Amino acid sequence: MQKWIGFLSGSLFGAGLFVSGMTDTTKVQGWLDVFGDWDPTLAFVMGGAILPMAIAWQISRRMRHPYAGQAFPAASGQVDRKLIIGSVLFGIGWGLVGLCPGPAVASISYGGMGGAVFLIAMLIGMRVAPLVRSGLDRFVAAE
Amino acid sequence: MDIDWIYGLIGGALIGTGGAVYLLGNGRIMGASGIIGGVVDGSGRSNMAERVLFLAGMVLVPLLLSFTVQRPDTHVTSNVWALVAAGLLVGVGTRIANGCTSGHGVCGISRLSLRGIVATVFYILAGGLSIVFFRHILGWI
């Protein structure tokens, strides 16, 4: 059951990224580029996505457990250096090309060579991230 | 931009509904970087089939829509160095931060998670500065 819920959820996610135009890098870069020809679309996408999700969080409080799962996610943890450093690195890459992980995967069938090169580099980045993370931990611990 | 905001709103609602299904169905946070990263680094071994099917839906639906509705243009740069650098930064960064636009942005902000809000503020600021630097100062993109 969990597998098919995953499939349904991924399908809705993919459909939403397609319909919203978020796989178009000019729209994403256009939103980030407040000093250029600013494109507000991304704000509508975020707003449109946050609303049903906020309702879902409220509903989850009234359920003992998820429909097909054991438990709901734990409360989110503390803000730490890794959160900030990671988000800054991610943001630099996001602005540079205009792709984040969701749209990079969703657009792979029509993103051409550029999309494929980005996706492969991203997967390599994710593969080596645990090493970078433990390096950061050691660096922080040594301070 | 004409009516793009309506598509943005409808697409956003679909994304949020996907997140709602994942949370209420499986008790999981729909974060693209977490779902992909768990497959790539092996940390998601316990629910690999769920992750792979999630990603299959995420690829298949846009594929079908691109043939039936319209074939969109991603307007992605052809600069290989920019693509490689950005891909590595996005891959490493989202995994160190434990989330991206979907996990921290959509799912985190909607539960008023401080981590989600702080992460979103930082990646948007970094993204904005990145555009200023690479587009307006260097003129590369």
Side-chain angles (χ1 to χ4, degrees):
Chain A
M1 191 62 200
Q2 287 183 321
K3 288 182 284 194
W4 298 109
I5 288 173
F7 184 72
L8 173 64
S9 172
S11 299
L12 287 163
F13 190 20
L17 289 170
F18 183 95
V19 171
S20 64
M22 286 299 100
T23 61
D24 184 347
T25 58
T26 51
K27 290 208 148 315
V28 175
Q29 290 183 318
W31 186 78
L32 288 169
D33 190 7
V34 284
F35 300 109
D37 186 13
W38 192 63
D39 184 332
T41 311
L42 193 143
F44 287 95
V45 180
M46 273 299 216
I50 285 172
L51 189 67
M53 202 54 220
I55 296 170
W57 282 114
Q58 292 302 317
I59 295 172
S60 75
R61 287 190 190 176
R62 280 165 213 168
M63 290 168 71
R64 284 218 192 109
H65 59 83
Y67 178 71
Q70 307 290 318
F72 286 108
S76 89
Q78 298 293 308
V79 171
D80 56 14
R81 287 182 212 216
K82 275 181 286 187
L83 183 80
I84 311 276
I85 295 169
S87 295
V88 168
L89 294 178
F90 162 43
I92 296 170
W94 190 40
L96 180 54
V97 163
L99 283 172
C100 53
V105 169
S107 68
I108 196 61
S109 60
Y110 56 85
M113 275 306 287
V117 170
F118 178 90
L119 185 67
I120 291 165
M122 185 184 88
L123 296 177
I124 293 170
M126 287 180 168
R127 186 72 185 79
V128 301
L131 297 171
V132 180
R133 200 188 294 140
S134 57
L136 269 176
D137 283 339
R138 245 175 289 136
F139 179 73
V140 172
E143 269 186 311
Chain B
M1 75 146 241
D2 51 350
I3 55 160
D4 282 0
W5 65 273
I6 298 178
Y7 289 108
L9 212 52
I10 296 169
L14 284 166
I15 296 169
T17 307
V21 166
Y22 209 44
L23 177 71
L24 299 177
N26 289 359
R28 291 193 181 280
I29 289 174
M30 188 190 76
S33 60
I35 294 168
I36 305 163
V39 174
V40 175
D41 68 16
S43 62
R45 236 172 265 118
S46 61
N47 58 348
M48 199 53 98
E50 176 191 316
R51 288 168 192 267
V52 171
L53 277 167
F54 181 97
L55 295 171
M58 217 176 141
V59 170
L60 282 174
V61 171
L63 170 72
L64 286 174
L65 291 173
S66 74
F67 278 114
T68 51
V69 184
Q70 62 160 329
R71 196 160 174 83
D73 194 338
T74 58
H75 297 110
V76 73
T77 178
S78 52
N79 182 332
V80 176
W81 296 112
L83 288 164
V84 170
L88 289 171
L89 284 165
V90 170
V92 170
T94 53
R95 290 301 279 157
I96 291 177
N98 223 347
C100 58
T101 338
S102 44
H104 280 317
V106 175
C107 299
I109 291 176
S110 60
R111 82 195 289 207
L112 300 176
S113 140
L114 185 61
R115 274 177 64 85
I117 294 166
V118 169
T120 304
V121 166
F122 275 92
Y123 65 67
I124 286 174
L125 276 177
L129 290 173
S130 177
I131 285 277
V132 168
F133 186 69
F134 292 112
R135 177 173 289 172
H136 298 297
I137 297 177
L138 294 179
W140 286 359
I141 53 170

